[in-house]
Amino acid sequence: MSEKMKNLAVRTVSGIVLCVVMLGAIWWSQWSFGLFLALLLVGGMLEFYNLAEKRGAAPQRLIGLVAGLMLFVLNFVLITTEVDVLHAGFARSLYGYGMAFALLLLPLMFFCELWRKKENPAGNIGVTLMAIFYVALPFSLMCYFPIIATETWNPFVMFGYIFIVWVNDVFAYLVGMTIGRHRMFERISPKKSWEGFFGGVFGAVIMGVVVAHLLGANLCAWGVMALIISITSVLGDLVESMFKRAADVKDSGALIPGHGGVLDRFDAMLLSAPFVFVYMIMVM
């Protein structure tokens, strides 16, 4: 078997495994879904810090990871329907202490920088905070997706979101490969074309309508949300490509054989999640 065929086989198998694990975690329970998101959060933040270090930054990894995980846990606990944690006085106080601790981690970054004696302290703090907003916040917001629209746990809403992202990517690739001529951001991603972009938008909107029909939801609302997902997903992909080019690397990591790292596989969701969250809150 040639090296190219071996790489294709590895990529296919690892892709199937990732798909099964992700969909299984969402389907199984809120807890398995939360654990899966938390693992992605840690992996994504570590990869981002690695990219930053290749550009000479010195992020505060431990504080950043603790703050990111604390943000995630507070959001997950807030919305989980399997344990009623916020109605007991002790649990409510514990939640308040957790929030206070998370807030104190922010000024702690400034204090720690006094003793680290690293160059560009403002840049180091900025990179540490950026991973929280770029990686931890989107994964934290995804906790709400299966519950916002229906007010009860419904994993099919998250399935719909994921399938829209996937269909957008597949249609963009197929259309771009077939008739793509006009480049979008050749400096960052030479293969992306405007034809592929609009092909992805078309596929995503169609998928959004299909998902709405299967869920018995508003077709127009899901169609518009699919449009938002499509546009922001492409921008998320370009942003991650920008970071990798700056660090002069092909992949953000090697966690998923043949696919790269967490940021490589979930870059589209990282920038689409905040927009989808706001849209769901306002419209659904």
Side-chain angles (χ1 to χ4, degrees):
M1 183 183 292
S2 67
E3 191 66 26
K4 186 175 182 180
M5 290 301 296
K6 287 182 180 179
N7 292 337
L8 179 60
V10 170
R11 181 179 176 86
T12 301
V13 172
S14 62
I16 293 174
V17 171
L18 174 63
C19 181
V20 170
V21 170
M22 178 169 59
L23 297 181
I26 298 170
W27 171 263
W28 188 259
S29 71
Q30 279 185 285
W31 290 99
S32 58
F33 176 51
L35 177 60
F36 181 72
L37 289 180
L39 292 175
L40 292 180
L41 182 152
V42 172
M45 290 189 70
L46 288 175
E47 288 177 7
F48 183 84
Y49 288 146
N50 287 338
L51 293 178
E53 287 177 346
K54 290 182 182 298
R55 293 296 299 168
Q60 299 181 32
R61 286 171 172 261
L62 180 59
I63 294 180
L65 285 171
V66 172
L69 280 172
M70 182 64 67
L71 175 67
F72 177 83
V73 169
L74 290 175
N75 280 279
F76 180 76
V77 167
L78 184 64
I79 58 94
T80 183
T81 59
E82 296 189 10
V83 285
D84 197 6
V85 296
L86 294 181
H87 294 287
F90 174 75
R92 194 160 50 238
S93 298
L94 190 62
Y95 182 86
Y97 291 138
M99 181 64 73
F101 177 72
L103 291 175
L104 290 178
L105 285 174
L106 300 180
L108 183 62
M109 294 180 191
F110 292 82
F111 299 153
C112 288
E113 202 64 32
L114 291 172
W115 281 272
R116 297 181 77 215
K117 300 179 181 179
K118 300 288 186 179
E119 294 183 4
N120 193 13
N124 297 335
I125 294 171
V127 166
T128 304
L129 290 171
M130 188 175 177
I132 298 172
F133 287 99
Y134 177 56
V135 181
L137 178 61
F139 281 129
S140 299
L141 295 178
M142 288 181 202
C143 292
Y144 295 89
F145 288 5
I147 203 171
I148 290 179
T150 58
E151 297 183 357
T152 57
W153 170 254
N154 186 354
F156 293 104
V157 174
M158 191 65 191
F159 286 158
Y161 169 68
I162 292 172
F163 289 150
I164 290 171
V165 173
W166 284 352
V167 168
N168 174 76
D169 192 41
V170 170
F171 269 66
Y173 174 76
L174 293 177
V175 174
M177 183 179 63
T178 304
I179 61 173
R181 297 294 182 271
H182 303 86
R183 303 303 167 193
M184 290 184 65
F185 281 89
E186 194 166 4
R187 175 177 60 88
I188 295 174
S189 184
K191 295 183 180 180
K192 287 194 183 304
S193 66
W194 283 108
E195 291 85 354
F197 168 76
F198 287 112
V201 169
F202 175 79
V205 171
I206 294 299
M207 189 64 201
V209 173
V210 171
V211 170
H213 176 72
L214 294 175
L215 293 176
N218 186 291
L219 300 182
C220 182
W222 270 87
V224 174
M225 187 170 78
L227 176 64
I228 294 172
I229 292 172
S230 177
I231 296 172
T232 54
S233 293
V234 173
L235 293 174
D237 188 12
L238 288 170
V239 166
E240 201 249 350
S241 295
M242 176 179 66
F243 290 144
K244 289 192 296 185
R245 277 190 172 274
D248 194 24
V249 296
K250 181 179 181 293
D251 297 320
S252 64
L255 181 64
I256 311 168
H259 292 268
V262 172
L263 298 184
D264 294 312
R265 289 301 89 202
F266 296 90
D267 52 357
M269 296 182 183
L270 292 180
L271 286 195
S272 71
F275 288 91
V276 173
F277 174 78
V278 172
Y279 180 80
M280 283 184 168
I281 289 291
M282 296 178 63
V283 176
M284 295 186 169

